[in-house]
Amino acid sequence: MFLPSTMTDQTRALLARIPEGRMITIRMIELALRTGSSFDKAAAKARVGKSTATGWAAQLHIRKSDLAAETPEARRTRHEQWALALASLGRMDEAAAWEAETRKLETTFERIGKRSAVVEPEKDVMEPARQFLGRVADTLGEEVSYSTAWRAVFEYYNALARSGAVLRGDGQVEWQGAVPDGLPQTPAWLPCAPWQAADDAAWQREAGKALSML
């Protein structure tokens, strides 16, 4: 992807202020935050203090609110910018780590969309995700791609996050207080509202396992 030099320069200046080697730590913090961990847990996983993790997250705009509002395309572009900037600073290990993040979404969609008669269904580890996105696509209309179906899932959960929901990696959500009014209607591709799953095994079977992959 072509990135304007001014954008690369700005990113390079931003990342140069982060101590060398710590962008790999920040990668761990971002992953933990995206999968529902609190700042306390994210910092503990990355083995840094909470104040340090919070400061870096604010500086790099990877707080939970930032991540919830970020589209998959924007995330991929940001990761690519960071990888290029780190490489230009000579921090190749860190650049490689963020380059790997850049490719994760692409690889996921490629694996989900790939069809092979040679692979037996029981050996296809991405089958739950494929079936789930197929169900989402069926509710959206004919000839809807996996990418478009994934966007519908992202937009629904992003709306819940903006309303204060705490998201879990398996697609269930929790509320700190009462469930607010004005939430989007629970889509047909979920077995129930993601905060009302009475049977966890059923939720995992119908949605949770697939959402964990996505």
Side-chain angles (χ1 to χ4, degrees):
M1 178 184 294
F2 172 76
L3 298 174
S5 59
T6 53
M7 183 182 299
T8 304
D9 290 343
Q10 292 169 357
T11 304
R12 185 187 299 113
L14 175 66
L15 300 189
R17 295 198 293 268
I18 303 296
E20 185 169 354
R22 286 304 199 175
M23 285 301 294
I24 294 179
T25 303
I26 289 169
R27 177 172 173 258
M28 297 173 63
I29 293 171
E30 178 178 328
L31 179 60
L33 293 175
R34 281 210 318 266
T35 53
S37 293
S38 65
F39 263 111
D40 289 321
K41 291 183 179 179
K45 288 179 181 178
R47 297 184 179 180
V48 294
K50 180 182 177 181
S51 61
T52 299
T54 303
W56 285 339
Q59 184 175 345
L60 297 174
H61 303 291
I62 57 168
R63 294 161 295 192
K64 280 196 171 186
S65 58
D66 299 318
L67 297 174
E70 188 176 48
T71 65
E73 291 82 1
R75 184 194 308 165
R76 183 172 56 190
T77 298
R78 172 171 61 83
H79 289 172
E80 186 171 38
Q81 289 176 20
W82 286 8
L84 289 172
L86 289 165
S88 73
L89 292 169
R91 294 160 61 168
M92 305 311 295
D93 288 345
E94 294 168 285
W98 285 102
E99 175 66 15
E101 289 299 315
T102 303
R103 302 305 170 208
K104 274 187 178 180
L105 276 177
E106 296 173 358
T107 301
T108 298
F109 287 137
E110 287 174 2
R111 293 181 67 189
I112 290 174
K114 186 177 181 181
R115 297 181 179 275
S116 173
V118 177
V119 179
E120 298 178 11
E122 62 270 22
K123 294 183 179 179
D124 185 356
V125 295
M126 297 304 294
E127 183 63 20
R130 180 181 295 117
Q131 289 183 350
F132 178 77
L133 288 182
R135 189 162 71 249
V136 175
D138 288 342
T139 68
L140 299 178
E142 297 182 357
E143 299 182 358
V144 172
S145 67
Y146 285 124
S147 178
T148 300
W150 194 92
R151 172 61 67 85
V153 176
F154 170 82
E155 289 177 350
Y156 173 71
Y157 277 99
N158 192 30
L160 295 184
R162 290 197 304 270
S163 297
V166 178
L167 311 184
R168 282 177 30 179
D170 64 356
Q172 295 188 59
V173 307
E174 300 172 351
W175 303 94
Q176 297 297 334
V179 179
D181 296 326
L183 295 175
Q185 183 177 359
T186 301
W189 36 265
L190 285 180
C192 63
W195 57 91
Q196 294 179 329
D199 185 340
D200 189 66
W203 175 271
Q204 297 303 329
R205 184 173 59 253
E206 296 183 42
K209 186 175 182 179
L211 288 168
S212 296
M213 293 178 177
L214 299 172

